[in-house]
PDB file of all heavy atoms in Angstrom:
ATOM      1  N   PHE A  68      96.099 103.830 118.600  1.00  0.00           N
ATOM      2  CA  PHE A  68      96.885 104.258 117.434  1.00  0.00           C
ATOM      3  C   PHE A  68      97.010 105.787 117.430  1.00  0.00           C
ATOM      4  O   PHE A  68      96.103 106.506 117.887  1.00  0.00           O
ATOM      5  CB  PHE A  68      96.157 103.838 116.155  1.00  0.00           C
ATOM      6  CG  PHE A  68      96.134 102.394 115.871  1.00  0.00           C
ATOM      7  CD1 PHE A  68      96.536 101.439 116.804  1.00  0.00           C
ATOM      8  CD2 PHE A  68      95.716 101.896 114.616  1.00  0.00           C
ATOM      9  CE1 PHE A  68      96.499 100.105 116.555  1.00  0.00           C
ATOM     10  CE2 PHE A  68      95.686 100.557 114.360  1.00  0.00           C
ATOM     11  CZ  PHE A  68      96.069  99.642 115.292  1.00  0.00           C
ATOM     12  N   THR A  69      98.105 106.235 116.875  1.00  0.00           N
ATOM     13  CA  THR A  69      98.348 107.667 116.704  1.00  0.00           C
ATOM     14  C   THR A  69      98.911 107.993 115.340  1.00  0.00           C
ATOM     15  O   THR A  69      99.892 107.368 114.938  1.00  0.00           O
ATOM     16  CB  THR A  69      99.350 108.191 117.793  1.00  0.00           C
ATOM     17  OG1 THR A  69      98.862 107.898 119.101  1.00  0.00           O
ATOM     18  CG2 THR A  69      99.529 109.692 117.632  1.00  0.00           C
ATOM     19  N   ILE A  70      98.272 108.890 114.614  1.00  0.00           N
ATOM     20  CA  ILE A  70      98.736 109.310 113.330  1.00  0.00           C
ATOM     21  C   ILE A  70      99.474 110.636 113.462  1.00  0.00           C
ATOM     22  O   ILE A  70      99.058 111.492 114.252  1.00  0.00           O
ATOM     23  CB  ILE A  70      97.576 109.401 112.319  1.00  0.00           C
ATOM     24  CG1 ILE A  70      98.109 109.683 110.900  1.00  0.00           C
ATOM     25  CG2 ILE A  70      96.568 110.508 112.731  1.00  0.00           C
ATOM     26  CD1 ILE A  70      97.037 109.608 109.814  1.00  0.00           C
ATOM     27  N   SER A  71     100.536 110.814 112.703  1.00  0.00           N
ATOM     28  CA  SER A  71     101.266 112.036 112.706  1.00  0.00           C
ATOM     29  C   SER A  71     101.859 112.270 111.346  1.00  0.00           C
ATOM     30  O   SER A  71     101.930 111.359 110.523  1.00  0.00           O
ATOM     31  CB  SER A  71     102.339 112.071 113.781  1.00  0.00           C
ATOM     32  OG  SER A  71     103.288 111.038 113.609  1.00  0.00           O
ATOM     33  N   ARG A  72     102.322 113.515 111.105  1.00  0.00           N
ATOM     34  CA  ARG A  72     102.925 113.795 109.820  1.00  0.00           C
ATOM     35  C   ARG A  72     104.074 114.796 109.974  1.00  0.00           C
ATOM     36  O   ARG A  72     104.084 115.606 110.912  1.00  0.00           O
ATOM     37  CB  ARG A  72     101.896 114.326 108.804  1.00  0.00           C
ATOM     38  CG  ARG A  72     101.342 115.720 109.131  1.00  0.00           C
ATOM     39  CD  ARG A  72     100.181 116.071 108.227  1.00  0.00           C
ATOM     40  NE  ARG A  72     100.586 116.146 106.800  1.00  0.00           N
ATOM     41  CZ  ARG A  72      99.709 116.177 105.808  1.00  0.00           C
ATOM     42  NH1 ARG A  72      98.382 116.139 106.035  1.00  0.00           N
ATOM     43  NH2 ARG A  72     100.169 116.274 104.554  1.00  0.00           N
ATOM     44  N   ASP A  73     105.014 114.728 109.043  1.00  0.00           N
ATOM     45  CA  ASP A  73     106.112 115.670 108.995  1.00  0.00           C
ATOM     46  C   ASP A  73     106.201 116.114 107.542  1.00  0.00           C
ATOM     47  O   ASP A  73     106.743 115.382 106.706  1.00  0.00           O
ATOM     48  CB  ASP A  73     107.402 115.037 109.450  1.00  0.00           C
ATOM     49  CG  ASP A  73     108.537 116.011 109.546  1.00  0.00           C
ATOM     50  OD1 ASP A  73     108.528 117.010 108.827  1.00  0.00           O
ATOM     51  OD2 ASP A  73     109.440 115.780 110.397  1.00  0.00           O
ATOM     52  N   ASN A  74     105.627 117.261 107.232  1.00  0.00           N
ATOM     53  CA  ASN A  74     105.597 117.712 105.848  1.00  0.00           C
ATOM     54  C   ASN A  74     107.003 117.989 105.263  1.00  0.00           C
ATOM     55  O   ASN A  74     107.220 117.787 104.077  1.00  0.00           O
ATOM     56  CB  ASN A  74     104.721 118.966 105.713  1.00  0.00           C
ATOM     57  CG  ASN A  74     103.245 118.659 105.927  1.00  0.00           C
ATOM     58  OD1 ASN A  74     102.800 117.507 105.752  1.00  0.00           O
ATOM     59  ND2 ASN A  74     102.488 119.662 106.315  1.00  0.00           N
ATOM     60  N   ALA A  75     107.895 118.444 106.117  1.00  0.00           N
ATOM     61  CA  ALA A  75     109.232 118.729 105.663  1.00  0.00           C
ATOM     62  C   ALA A  75     109.942 117.455 105.210  1.00  0.00           C
ATOM     63  O   ALA A  75     110.698 117.464 104.232  1.00  0.00           O
ATOM     64  CB  ALA A  75     110.077 119.404 106.783  1.00  0.00           C
ATOM     65  N   LYS A  76     109.698 116.342 105.906  1.00  0.00           N
ATOM     66  CA  LYS A  76     110.282 115.073 105.555  1.00  0.00           C
ATOM     67  C   LYS A  76     109.379 114.269 104.602  1.00  0.00           C
ATOM     68  O   LYS A  76     109.799 113.189 104.136  1.00  0.00           O
ATOM     69  CB  LYS A  76     110.552 114.233 106.796  1.00  0.00           C
ATOM     70  CG  LYS A  76     111.586 114.876 107.702  1.00  0.00           C
ATOM     71  CD  LYS A  76     111.817 113.951 108.935  1.00  0.00           C
ATOM     72  CE  LYS A  76     112.885 114.533 109.839  1.00  0.00           C
ATOM     73  NZ  LYS A  76     113.093 113.679 111.051  1.00  0.00           N
ATOM     74  N   LYS A  77     108.201 114.770 104.327  1.00  0.00           N
ATOM     75  CA  LYS A  77     107.256 114.089 103.445  1.00  0.00           C
ATOM     76  C   LYS A  77     106.928 112.674 103.957  1.00  0.00           C
ATOM     77  O   LYS A  77     106.984 111.722 103.199  1.00  0.00           O
ATOM     78  CB  LYS A  77     107.748 114.058 102.012  1.00  0.00           C
ATOM     79  CG  LYS A  77     107.842 115.438 101.336  1.00  0.00           C
ATOM     80  CD  LYS A  77     108.158 115.279  99.858  1.00  0.00           C
ATOM     81  CE  LYS A  77     108.142 116.631  99.179  1.00  0.00           C
ATOM     82  NZ  LYS A  77     108.409 116.492  97.707  1.00  0.00           N
ATOM     83  N   THR A  78     106.664 112.594 105.227  1.00  0.00           N
ATOM     84  CA  THR A  78     106.371 111.320 105.843  1.00  0.00           C
ATOM     85  C   THR A  78     105.098 111.407 106.680  1.00  0.00           C
ATOM     86  O   THR A  78     104.788 112.441 107.278  1.00  0.00           O
ATOM     87  CB  THR A  78     107.506 110.780 106.703  1.00  0.00           C
ATOM     88  OG1 THR A  78     107.788 111.713 107.752  1.00  0.00           O
ATOM     89  CG2 THR A  78     108.733 110.521 105.867  1.00  0.00           C
ATOM     90  N   VAL A  79     104.399 110.294 106.781  1.00  0.00           N
ATOM     91  CA  VAL A  79     103.231 110.118 107.653  1.00  0.00           C
ATOM     92  C   VAL A  79     103.465 108.858 108.401  1.00  0.00           C
ATOM     93  O   VAL A  79     103.910 107.849 107.848  1.00  0.00           O
ATOM     94  CB  VAL A  79     101.940 110.096 106.881  1.00  0.00           C
ATOM     95  CG1 VAL A  79     100.761 109.932 107.813  1.00  0.00           C
ATOM     96  CG2 VAL A  79     101.771 111.309 105.998  1.00  0.00           C
ATOM     97  N   THR A  80     103.188 108.859 109.705  1.00  0.00           N
ATOM     98  CA  THR A  80     103.393 107.686 110.500  1.00  0.00           C
ATOM     99  C   THR A  80     102.111 107.250 111.193  1.00  0.00           C
ATOM    100  O   THR A  80     101.181 108.035 111.390  1.00  0.00           O
ATOM    101  CB  THR A  80     104.481 107.923 111.602  1.00  0.00           C
ATOM    102  OG1 THR A  80     104.004 108.912 112.533  1.00  0.00           O
ATOM    103  CG2 THR A  80     105.752 108.414 110.960  1.00  0.00           C
ATOM    104  N   LEU A  81     102.058 105.965 111.548  1.00  0.00           N
ATOM    105  CA  LEU A  81     100.981 105.404 112.314  1.00  0.00           C
ATOM    106  C   LEU A  81     101.596 104.582 113.425  1.00  0.00           C
ATOM    107  O   LEU A  81     102.137 103.501 113.172  1.00  0.00           O
ATOM    108  CB  LEU A  81     100.044 104.581 111.477  1.00  0.00           C
ATOM    109  CG  LEU A  81      98.816 104.027 112.194  1.00  0.00           C
ATOM    110  CD1 LEU A  81      97.827 105.155 112.525  1.00  0.00           C
ATOM    111  CD2 LEU A  81      98.122 102.961 111.316  1.00  0.00           C
ATOM    112  N   GLN A  82     101.595 105.109 114.624  1.00  0.00           N
ATOM    113  CA  GLN A  82     102.081 104.398 115.803  1.00  0.00           C
ATOM    114  C   GLN A  82     100.963 103.533 116.319  1.00  0.00           C
ATOM    115  O   GLN A  82      99.895 104.028 116.669  1.00  0.00           O
ATOM    116  CB  GLN A  82     102.570 105.372 116.873  1.00  0.00           C
ATOM    117  CG  GLN A  82     103.048 104.692 118.132  1.00  0.00           C
ATOM    118  CD  GLN A  82     104.302 103.872 117.924  1.00  0.00           C
ATOM    119  OE1 GLN A  82     105.247 104.355 117.273  1.00  0.00           O
ATOM    120  NE2 GLN A  82     104.334 102.655 118.434  1.00  0.00           N
ATOM    121  N   MET A  83     101.186 102.228 116.391  1.00  0.00           N
ATOM    122  CA  MET A  83     100.191 101.288 116.795  1.00  0.00           C
ATOM    123  C   MET A  83     100.629 100.587 118.083  1.00  0.00           C
ATOM    124  O   MET A  83     101.639  99.888 118.080  1.00  0.00           O
ATOM    125  CB  MET A  83      99.914 100.249 115.712  1.00  0.00           C
ATOM    126  CG  MET A  83      99.565 100.885 114.354  1.00  0.00           C
ATOM    127  SD  MET A  83      99.115  99.625 113.088  1.00  0.00           S
ATOM    128  CE  MET A  83     100.677  98.753 112.945  1.00  0.00           C
ATOM    129  N   ASN A  84      99.863 100.804 119.126  1.00  0.00           N
ATOM    130  CA  ASN A  84     100.156 100.187 120.431  1.00  0.00           C
ATOM    131  C   ASN A  84      99.046  99.256 120.822  1.00  0.00           C
ATOM    132  O   ASN A  84      97.931  99.311 120.295  1.00  0.00           O
ATOM    133  CB  ASN A  84     100.345 101.265 121.489  1.00  0.00           C
ATOM    134  CG  ASN A  84     101.494 102.236 121.218  1.00  0.00           C
ATOM    135  OD1 ASN A  84     102.503 101.812 120.683  1.00  0.00           O
ATOM    136  ND2 ASN A  84     101.328 103.489 121.578  1.00  0.00           N
ATOM    137  N   SER A  85      99.326  98.404 121.800  1.00  0.00           N
ATOM    138  CA  SER A  85      98.351  97.453 122.335  1.00  0.00           C
ATOM    139  C   SER A  85      97.649  96.697 121.206  1.00  0.00           C
ATOM    140  O   SER A  85      96.414  96.589 121.152  1.00  0.00           O
ATOM    141  CB  SER A  85      97.286  98.213 123.203  1.00  0.00           C
ATOM    142  OG  SER A  85      97.949  98.872 124.256  1.00  0.00           O
ATOM    143  N   LEU A  86      98.434  96.187 120.297  1.00  0.00           N
ATOM    144  CA  LEU A  86      97.895  95.534 119.109  1.00  0.00           C
ATOM    145  C   LEU A  86      97.106  94.275 119.471  1.00  0.00           C
ATOM    146  O   LEU A  86      97.447  93.537 120.425  1.00  0.00           O
ATOM    147  CB  LEU A  86      98.994  95.200 118.145  1.00  0.00           C
ATOM    148  CG  LEU A  86      99.489  96.407 117.355  1.00  0.00           C
ATOM    149  CD1 LEU A  86     100.850  96.119 116.728  1.00  0.00           C
ATOM    150  CD2 LEU A  86      98.489  96.789 116.282  1.00  0.00           C
ATOM    151  N   LYS A  87      96.035  94.048 118.706  1.00  0.00           N
ATOM    152  CA  LYS A  87      95.159  92.911 118.882  1.00  0.00           C
ATOM    153  C   LYS A  87      95.166  92.058 117.608  1.00  0.00           C
ATOM    154  O   LYS A  87      95.448  92.561 116.525  1.00  0.00           O
ATOM    155  CB  LYS A  87      93.741  93.389 119.168  1.00  0.00           C
ATOM    156  CG  LYS A  87      93.596  94.344 120.351  1.00  0.00           C
ATOM    157  CD  LYS A  87      92.178  94.860 120.454  1.00  0.00           C
ATOM    158  CE  LYS A  87      92.028  95.824 121.600  1.00  0.00           C
ATOM    159  NZ  LYS A  87      90.659  96.396 121.684  1.00  0.00           N
ATOM    160  N   PRO A  88      94.823  90.776 117.715  1.00  0.00           N
ATOM    161  CA  PRO A  88      94.754  89.958 116.520  1.00  0.00           C
ATOM    162  C   PRO A  88      93.836  90.544 115.436  1.00  0.00           C
ATOM    163  O   PRO A  88      94.123  90.388 114.225  1.00  0.00           O
ATOM    164  CB  PRO A  88      94.214  88.605 117.042  1.00  0.00           C
ATOM    165  CG  PRO A  88      94.726  88.561 118.446  1.00  0.00           C
ATOM    166  CD  PRO A  88      94.608  89.990 118.962  1.00  0.00           C
ATOM    167  N   GLU A  89      92.778  91.208 115.829  1.00  0.00           N
ATOM    168  CA  GLU A  89      91.857  91.801 114.841  1.00  0.00           C
ATOM    169  C   GLU A  89      92.457  93.003 114.098  1.00  0.00           C
ATOM    170  O   GLU A  89      91.825  93.487 113.148  1.00  0.00           O
ATOM    171  CB  GLU A  89      90.538  92.187 115.505  1.00  0.00           C
ATOM    172  CG  GLU A  89      90.692  93.056 116.726  1.00  0.00           C
ATOM    173  CD  GLU A  89      90.589  92.242 118.026  1.00  0.00           C
ATOM    174  OE1 GLU A  89      91.170  91.181 118.098  1.00  0.00           O
ATOM    175  OE2 GLU A  89      89.918  92.706 118.955  1.00  0.00           O
ATOM    176  N   ASP A  90      93.617  93.459 114.496  1.00  0.00           N
ATOM    177  CA  ASP A  90      94.322  94.503 113.772  1.00  0.00           C
ATOM    178  C   ASP A  90      95.078  93.947 112.581  1.00  0.00           C
ATOM    179  O   ASP A  90      95.606  94.728 111.775  1.00  0.00           O
ATOM    180  CB  ASP A  90      95.316  95.239 114.698  1.00  0.00           C
ATOM    181  CG  ASP A  90      94.629  96.020 115.790  1.00  0.00           C
ATOM    182  OD1 ASP A  90      93.577  96.628 115.525  1.00  0.00           O
ATOM    183  OD2 ASP A  90      95.123  95.995 116.954  1.00  0.00           O
TER     184      ASP A  90
END
Side-chain angles (χ1 to χ4, degrees):
F68 291 10
T69 302
I70 187 172
S71 61
R72 69 189 296 167
D73 187 332
N74 290 337
K76 296 181 179 179
K77 293 187 176 182
T78 59
V79 181
T80 66
L81 185 69
Q82 179 66 46
M83 305 186 295
N84 299 325
S85 301
L86 284 162
K87 305 173 181 179
E89 52 261 44
D90 295 319

